[in-house]
Amino acid sequence: MDQVLAAGNVTGSLFCIPILLKDNYDTSDMNTTGGNLALAGSQPSVDAPAVTALRNAGAIILGKANLHELALEGISVSSLGGQTINAYDRAQYLRIVSSAAGPRAD
């Protein structure tokens, strides 16, 4: 990143934008588990097309976010990551409709 900035090659509509992916997007540099304990060591060899597009646009993939196991339900509980909770008020986790929208703070 420093070399790109020093060369003046600041391009891409998402240049330097930090991104967290749901854990069902394949990434070649991170495990992809779908929130499933049985897939805890699963390491894809290539990025998913959406991840490739994000990287090509200059986004920085920081890591993976929890999701309901294998993205099958909407209550955001997985055998690997547990219950998705509200980062601002841990008591509000039951009010979350879906982790896709992000844990809300009222």
Side-chain angles (χ1 to χ4, degrees), residues 19-93:
I19 303 284
L20 285 176
L21 299 171
K22 287 292 196 169
D23 197 13
N24 56 350
Y25 283 93
D26 282 350
T27 52
S28 61
D29 57 348
M30 292 177 240
N31 288 342
T32 299
T33 68
N36 187 297
L37 189 58
L39 298 174
S42 177
Q43 181 69 50
S45 59
V46 297
D47 287 342
V51 175
T52 299
L54 287 167
R55 292 187 199 268
N56 289 343
I60 300 170
I61 309 298
L62 296 178
K64 304 277 189 92
N66 194 27
L67 72 157
H68 191 88
E69 194 156 341
L70 302 175
L72 294 175
E73 297 286 334
I75 57 173
S76 301
V77 177
S78 73
S79 62
L80 188 64
Q83 172 75 51
T84 300
I85 59 169
N86 184 308
Y88 300 100
D89 184 353
R90 296 175 68 86
Q92 290 190 28
Y93 72 91

